[in-house]
């Protein structure tokens, strides 16, 4: 028997299609049924790669007796948080209010069908009471009994939650000055793990926003911040957070040493981390991550899949860990060197097996084994390839093959950055193909859709879809100029202003103005697992406004920063991406418009020798410089077309904010203007 989830596009929902639970997707019909039958809604939110979601499914949702309780007393709705981040944001926030602790997945919420107001919230529940947690069957009975006798309290509950939601919404404030960045740097330093890198303790997440802020502060002269960013990335890349055989980063580390990860791989982590590794010079890690994306996460029609599961063969990490006998048998005489390099000469670190992490660098191993560092590198590369090929015969983790606009945009930006830093045209090609796929399948009548899966595109785009794609298009234009992408970027920016802007308070709502009414309409400013949509929107609108001379975009960016000013002042480190935008607003980076360079047929700027010479000079003069290399025959809007090309060689226009210096045809003068 199957339930109503069998025809859904989400692989996560389809995983539950054979449950004995009478699941509904989130829809008007489900809510109407709950109202008509006067049953509370049991809302279960998760995602395909979530380990504890699978555990709860096996323990409870596949159990006939628990399913009977759910079906008798509730209308049960299953939500993929990746397809419906709006619902996830609202009910994660409600969970934190009701329980006074952070949420997570699976998220389990019971709501009043008449008002969508939650009155019970939790995350994972075991089927029977254990480890201090109540059993799910007992929870179901108690919640059903409470609802039957206490519905009169739900009106007050809705009012209280509405008041709390309103208090959590920031009021506009005065923009902070540069001292807020100094405070943020001190907060980062206080949270920095000097021994293992990263910020905070276990469970330890990579926090790309914090790394980006530390890198920016380093480029502004804060050497301590630069060391924090570089050391953190190095330790992540050497540790078990990184897949040393197949490339790509796992979601987070369960310990503070980056040793044992939660084994799911998410697209949204790997896009920013690919960019960070490429920019920081961790070329081996960046190349391997790019290879993984192109090999395992790229759809035939273009675009990138969402995630790889943590589990295979019913066990977390089973695809990735090794026994000593397996590695010895595969590597033969190369075993001792590989074991020393990747920790297999130590005690097992994961349930009697070994999860690989780099324990010694090439020079240490060269001294120990009497080889040159280059020979060490060759031997280890050969060993990794041998184990990679052997691992390929194992049962692979499931892949969530839906294509999300926002997460694709993060990877598009990462791949274009890698194309520049690593001189890899294949990265630019994959990113261009993804843009073409989004334009064909997810851009309709001047609006974005959020999801493409099973041959269908659906769900009105959210703030992150617009903001992240706008930012990705600007990264694309810096890598290789394509005038239609600029036109598309302005269309996206116009739609963002038209359908998401909070005209009263500044900033942008997460949902568009024609979205279905929900319990709350949030305006997210704080970084979560992805950067805050308002932060990315502000920064992208600044850059687009400066590039084409459009004051509407600059005003919207300024009002967004003002809307988040109080939050930045109160919690700087939690708003790293917003601080990046503020930094560029307060002290705009130099923007170089290079015209007439040999870019007409270039795949990336590195393919154009003249453009590369000028761009390298600009980066050497000021590491914050943004360069757009535009062919002489490019079709440009009026605000940019006045940066004219010359017939007999390149000419550069250096601008800061809305002010531009006289054009120059001398690299020496360019260096002086950027100094």
């Amino acid at each position: 028997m199957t339930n109503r989830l069998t025809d859904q596009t989400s692989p996560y929902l389809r995983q539950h299609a054979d449950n004995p639970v009478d699941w509904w997707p989130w829809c008007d019909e489900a809510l109407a049924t709950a109202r008509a039958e006067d049953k509370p809604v049991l809302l279960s939110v998760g995602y395909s790669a979530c380990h504890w979601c699978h555990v709860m499914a096996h323990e409870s949702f596949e159990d006939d007796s628990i399913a009977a309780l759910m079906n008798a007393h509730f209308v049960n709705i299953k939500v993929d948080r990746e397809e419906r981040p709006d619902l996830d944001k609202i009910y994660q926030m409600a969970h934190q209010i009701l329980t006074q602790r952070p949420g997570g997945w699976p998220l389990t919420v019971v709501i009043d069908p008449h008002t969508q107001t939650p009155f019970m919230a939790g995350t994972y529940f075991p089927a029977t009471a254990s480890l201090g947690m109540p059993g799910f069957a007992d929870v179901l009975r108690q919640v059903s009994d409470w609802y039957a006798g206490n519905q009169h309290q739900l009106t007050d509950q809705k009012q209280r939650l509405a008041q709390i939601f309103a208090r959590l919404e920031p009021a506009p404030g005065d923009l902070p000055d540069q001292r807020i960045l100094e405070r943020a740097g001190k907060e980062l330093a206080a949270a920095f793990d000097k021994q293992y890198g990263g910020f905070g303790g276990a469970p330890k997440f990579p926090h790309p926003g914090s790394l980006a802020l530390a890198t920016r502060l380093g480029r502004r002269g804060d050497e301590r911040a630069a060391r924090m960013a570089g050391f953190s990335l190095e330790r992540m890349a050497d540790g078990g957070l990184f897949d040393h055989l197949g490339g790509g980063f796992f979601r987070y580390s369960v310990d503070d040493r980056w040793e044992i990860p939660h084994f799911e791989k998410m697209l949204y982590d790997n896009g920013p981390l690919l960019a960070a590794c490429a920019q920081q010079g961790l070329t081996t890690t960046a190349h391997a991550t790019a290879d993984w994306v192109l090999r395992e996460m790229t759809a035939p029609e273009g675009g990138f899949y969402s995630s790889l599961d943590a589990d295979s063969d019913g066990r977390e990490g089973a695809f990735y860990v090794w026994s000593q006998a397996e590695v010895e048998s595969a590597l033969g005489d190369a075993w001792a060197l590989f074991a020393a390099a990747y920790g297999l000469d130590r005690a097992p670190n994961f349930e009697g097996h070994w999860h690989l992490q780099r324990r010694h660098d090439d020079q240490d191993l060269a001294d120990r084994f009497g080889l040159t560092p280059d020979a060490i590198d060759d031997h280890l590369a050969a060993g990794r390839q041998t184990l990679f090929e052997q691992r390929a015969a194992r049962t692979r983790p499931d892949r969530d093959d839906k294509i999300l606009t926002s997460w694709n945009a993060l990877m598009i930006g990462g791949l274009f950055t890698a194309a520049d830093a690593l001189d890899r045209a294949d990265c630019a090609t994959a990113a261009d193909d993804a843009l073409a796929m989004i334009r064909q399948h997810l851009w309709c009548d001047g609006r974005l859709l959020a999801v493409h899966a099973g041959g269908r595109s659906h769900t009105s785009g959210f703030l992150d879809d617009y903001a992240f794609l706008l930012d990705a298009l600007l990264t694309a234009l810096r890598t290789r100029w394509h005038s239609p992408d600029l036109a598309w970027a302005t269309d996206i920016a116009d739609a963002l202003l038209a359908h998401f802007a909070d005209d009263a308070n500044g900033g942008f709502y997460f949902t568009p103005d024609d979205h279905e009414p929900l319990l709350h309409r949030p305006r997210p400013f704080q970084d979560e697992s992805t950067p805050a949509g308002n932060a990315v929107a502000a920064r992208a609108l600044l850059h687009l406004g400066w590039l084409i001379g459009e004051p509407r975009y600059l005003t919207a960016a300024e009002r967004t920063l003002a809307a988040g000013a109080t939050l930045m002042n109160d919690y700087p480190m939690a708003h790293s991406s917003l601080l990046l935008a503020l930094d560029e607003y307060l002290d705009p980076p130099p923007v170089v418009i290079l015209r007439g360079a040999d870019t007409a047929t270039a795949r990336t700027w590195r393919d154009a020798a003249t453009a590369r010479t000028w761009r390298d000079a600009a980066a050497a003069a000021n590491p914050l410089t943004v360069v757009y290399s535009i062919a002489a025959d490019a079709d440009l809007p009026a605000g940019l077309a006045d940066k004219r090309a010359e017939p007999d060689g390149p000419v550069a226009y250096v601008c800061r904010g809305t002010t531009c210096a006289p054009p120059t045809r001398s690299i020496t003068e360019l260096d002086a203007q950027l100094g």
Side-chain angles (χ1 to χ4, degrees), residues 7 9 139 176 196 231 240-241 252 346 374 426 428 581 593:
D7 294 326
T9 62
V139 170
Y196 299 111
F231 180 67
L241 190 73
Y252 64 86
R346 305 186 182 200
D374 286 345
D426 59 342
I593 310 297

Side-chain angles (χ1 to χ4, degrees), residues 219-286:
R219 289 176 176 172
R220 290 224 180 266
D222 185 340
E223 295 182 0
R224 178 179 62 176
R227 288 194 298 271
M228 289 191 296
F231 180 67
S232 295
L233 274 172
E234 289 170 5
R235 294 309 301 264
M236 291 177 204
D238 286 343
L241 190 73
F242 182 68
D243 179 359
H244 291 274
L245 301 183
F249 288 88
F250 300 108
R251 179 70 191 97
Y252 64 86
S253 173
V254 301
D255 57 81
D256 59 1
R257 303 178 301 279
W258 304 113
E259 184 169 350
I260 301 301
H262 185 43
F263 285 91
E264 65 198 56
K265 289 183 184 178
M266 311 301 295
L267 190 71
Y268 63 73
D269 288 318
N270 281 280
L273 288 173
L274 169 59
C277 289
Q279 290 173 323
Q280 288 280 358
L282 299 179
T283 55
T284 299
T285 305

Side-chain angles (χ1 to χ4, degrees), residues 85-90 93 165 168-170 462-468 496 500-502 506-512 520-539 559-561 563-565 567-568 574-579 581:
D86 53 335
L87 295 170
D88 186 56
K89 281 185 183 296
I90 291 168
M93 191 184 306
F165 281 144
L168 292 174
E169 287 295 309
F462 303 102
L463 169 61
D464 290 358
D465 299 300
Y466 286 81
F468 295 178
L496 182 64
F500 291 84
D502 181 345
F508 300 95
Y509 292 106
F510 189 72
T511 54
H520 179 58
R521 193 183 180 200
R523 284 183 302 146
F525 291 88
Q526 180 173 328
D527 291 340
E528 297 174 349
S529 53
T530 55
N534 268 291
V536 177
R539 186 163 178 246
R559 296 191 73 231
T560 301
L561 293 171
L567 294 173
M568 284 188 280
H575 298 85
S576 295
S577 298
L578 201 61
L579 288 175

Side-chain angles (χ1 to χ4, degrees), residues 658-670:
T658 57
T659 303
C660 296
T664 178
R665 305 183 67 180
S666 161
I667 288 182
T668 301
E669 187 176 344
L670 175 72

Side-chain angles (χ1 to χ4, degrees), residues 585-608:
Y585 171 81
L586 296 174
D587 186 10
V591 175
V592 175
I593 310 297
L594 182 62
R595 295 299 317 277
D598 48 342
T599 60
T601 61
R603 192 60 169 166
T604 73
W605 67 267
R606 284 184 172 274
D607 298 328

Side-chain angles (χ1 to χ4, degrees), residues 321-405:
V321 299
W322 295 87
S323 70
Q324 182 174 326
E326 285 178 308
V327 181
E328 282 192 277
S329 174
L331 297 185
D333 293 341
W335 150 258
L337 171 59
F338 197 89
Y342 288 100
L344 288 101
D345 57 351
R346 305 186 182 200
N349 59 4
F350 186 76
E351 299 177 356
H353 289 73
W354 281 262
H355 176 53
L356 303 182
Q357 58 184 302
R358 191 67 186 266
R359 293 291 191 177
H360 299 283
D361 64 22
D362 287 355
Q363 186 60 59
D364 289 341
L365 294 167
D367 295 340
R368 178 173 170 181
F369 286 90
L371 298 169
T372 65
D374 286 345
I376 292 290
D377 188 59
D378 290 341
H379 283 301
L380 293 180
R384 290 195 302 271
Q385 183 62 29
T386 297
L387 293 183
F388 173 76
E389 292 172 1
Q390 181 166 319
R391 191 177 78 175
R394 297 176 176 176
T395 301
R396 288 185 171 276
D398 287 340
R399 182 174 61 194
D400 189 323
D401 61 1
K402 66 177 177 289
I403 294 172
L404 300 173
T405 301

